[in-house]
Amino acid sequence: MIKASAISHPNIAFSKYWGMANEKLTLPETDSISMTLSRIFTHTTVGFSNKYSQDEVEIRNESGLSGNVIHQVDQRVVKQLDRLRKLANTQKKAKVVSINNFPADAGIASSASAFSALTVAGVAALKLRMSKKELSILTRLAGSGSATRSIHGGFVLWKKGESSTESYATQIYGAKHWDLVDIILVVSATRKRKTSLQGHQLATSSPLRRNRIEATTKNNTRLLAALKNKDLKLLGNTIENEMFLLHAVAMSSAPPLLYWSGDTVEIIHEVWELRKRGVECYITLDAGPNPHIITTSKHAKEIESHFASWSMVKKRYICPVGRGAFLTDNHLF
Ligand code: DP6
């Protein structure tokens, strides 16, 4: 048995990947910029052995080893194992055990941390030598585009590229560059009704898609300037615009996709209210109802406590900037 384990964090997209230029290769239509988070993570162990007759994938729930065990073979996982086997020239089947310490599939990009952890662990288990660029490309090929950004820590740019070898993520600044914090308010921890994949596919049916591509391209230039100058106002206004652009495309797709709940809308208004009162914070959403409030460490505690009494907020995560996917000796089997 050869095995390795990795831990990877989700990332929050400041500018969004929404819509694919090439579905088979997971090539996006725009560049996207994100911040890798700390505190919430996926921990994955991958082992290859001749003793397995088929791939086994076990995804454990939030409560980890003592919790319920969900046996679920995701085809994207098996296909990624096939890519790894091809590169290592082996037929060995694999066992994969993975745990998240946060709710999966509810707009907290669990597949970003999941597919980056799987890829980093799988590459190490098979003793493949890869640069971060190669890891980022291989992770992207698994089909979760946002995962390609979680290979790096800090602030990350995923260049869309025109071909598979050109489409990968690079670090713009390390985690220490700016003390930004993402406060995630979980208003719903249930599985989303429509996956991001369906959203990407439907984006082409939206009459707003082309305008969004143009607007996102300009927003990326703004975000790079905001990150360079640590300009929270410019960063915040741009990420809110990106949120609305993504959701405008989703809502105007055919059929429409509405990821927001009433709670989401209330929190958007409350963030704007807080800002009027001088608390510098901004909001973004991925393909789910759970708000991500972006602020600096100065205001993080105050904002988190502000929402502590809101009954609609079931869980709160305060996530400063985190590191990229890394190997660990802590194996899950
Ligand atoms: C809205 O195809 O990467 O989060 O595989 O479900 O994580 P999952 O989604 P993916 O699409 C991400 C869409 C997004 C925006 C973003 O992260 O850029």
Side-chain angles (χ1 to χ4, degrees):
M1 154 84 80
I2 42 172
K3 68 180 171 190
S5 300
I7 290 178
S8 184
H9 299 284
N11 60 79
I12 181 66
F14 290 164
S15 58
K16 308 291 187 183
Y17 155 46
W18 199 247
M20 291 176 290
N22 181 319
E23 181 170 341
K24 204 163 163 259
L25 296 174
T26 321
L27 295 180
E29 293 188 299
T30 60
D31 295 354
S32 54
I33 293 174
S34 60
M35 166 175 128
T36 302
L37 306 180
S38 58
R39 305 229 173 121
I40 55 174
F41 60 83
T42 301
H43 179 180
T44 300
T45 299
V46 182
F48 291 88
S49 168
N50 286 325
K51 75 176 184 196
Y52 301 132
S53 55
Q54 56 177 30
D55 291 325
E56 269 177 43
V57 182
E58 188 181 310
I59 298 169
R60 295 184 186 155
N61 73 2
E62 270 178 89
S63 48
L65 294 167
S66 56
N68 292 333
V69 175
I70 310 163
H71 286 276
Q72 184 189 59
V73 178
D74 182 330
Q75 279 315 304
R76 289 195 294 178
V77 174
V78 175
K79 283 196 180 146
Q80 188 69 337
L81 294 170
D82 286 341
R83 279 184 203 96
L84 289 161
R85 277 188 281 262
K86 203 169 164 201
L87 288 167
N89 198 15
T90 178
Q91 310 287 323
K92 290 189 179 104
K93 297 290 182 195
K95 175 171 173 171
V96 178
V97 176
S98 194
I99 295 179
N100 281 330
N101 71 341
F102 62 100
D105 288 334
I108 317 186
S110 61
S111 54
S113 50
F115 281 98
S116 45
L118 172 75
T119 307
V120 169
V123 161
L126 292 172
K127 307 220 163 12
L128 293 164
R129 292 200 167 274
M130 274 193 199
S131 63
K132 289 240 173 174
K133 174 178 164 182
E134 289 165 320
L135 268 176
S136 168
I137 292 170
L138 184 59
T139 302
R140 192 201 78 234
L141 288 169
S144 168
S146 52
T148 199
R149 299 185 305 239
S150 278
I151 291 296
H152 299 280
F155 302 92
V156 180
L157 167 70
W158 173 18
K159 272 269 177 213
K160 72 182 172 95
E162 298 305 325
S163 64
S164 188
T165 50
E166 282 177 17
S167 185
Y168 57 91
T170 52
Q171 186 182 70
I172 315 168
Y173 297 107
K176 292 202 163 58
H177 173 68
W178 194 0
D179 63 338
L180 290 184
V181 178
D182 177 5
I183 302 165
I184 307 170
L185 302 180
V186 178
V187 294
S188 164
T190 51
R191 270 175 187 270
K192 57 191 172 205
R193 292 186 198 102
K194 292 278 182 216
T195 62
S196 300
L197 177 62
Q198 287 166 301
H200 293 304
Q201 289 165 335
L202 287 175
T204 42
S205 67
S206 164
L208 306 181
R209 173 180 148 259
R210 283 197 177 282
N211 289 346
R212 188 198 82 92
I213 295 173
E214 248 174 63
T216 296
T217 307
K218 289 187 185 140
N219 279 341
N220 281 328
T221 309
R222 288 187 191 109
L223 285 173
L224 290 175
L227 286 172
K228 185 174 173 205
N229 303 318
K230 300 185 192 161
D231 180 341
L232 186 57
K233 190 169 176 202
L234 178 62
L235 183 104
N237 285 329
T238 311
I239 63 171
E240 288 195 353
N241 183 248
E242 275 296 306
M243 162 185 79
F244 286 120
L245 287 167
L246 182 165
H247 287 276
V249 170
M251 289 177 199
S252 56
S253 293
L257 293 174
L258 180 54
Y259 289 104
W260 302 3
S261 68
D263 298 338
T264 314
V265 178
E266 266 194 61
I267 293 172
I268 292 176
H269 285 292
E270 188 64 13
V271 166
W272 291 348
E273 202 47 52
L274 282 169
R275 219 149 70 211
K276 274 195 213 148
R277 287 190 240 148
V279 185
E280 258 194 302
C281 60
Y282 298 85
I283 185 164
T284 188
L285 293 161
D286 277 343
N290 297 320
H292 293 246
I293 301 179
I294 307 296
T295 186
T296 53
S297 57
K298 186 175 151 202
H299 295 296
K301 198 71 213 126
E302 179 186 355
I303 297 166
E304 195 248 359
S305 323
H306 179 80
F307 287 101
S309 58
W310 285 44
S311 60
M312 67 175 72
V313 177
K314 301 190 175 67
K315 260 187 183 165
R316 305 177 306 279
Y317 295 95
I318 302 189
C319 307
V321 192
R323 62 190 285 203
F326 59 98
L327 291 169
T328 168
D329 289 335
N330 185 358
H331 302 303
L332 297 172
F333 62 90

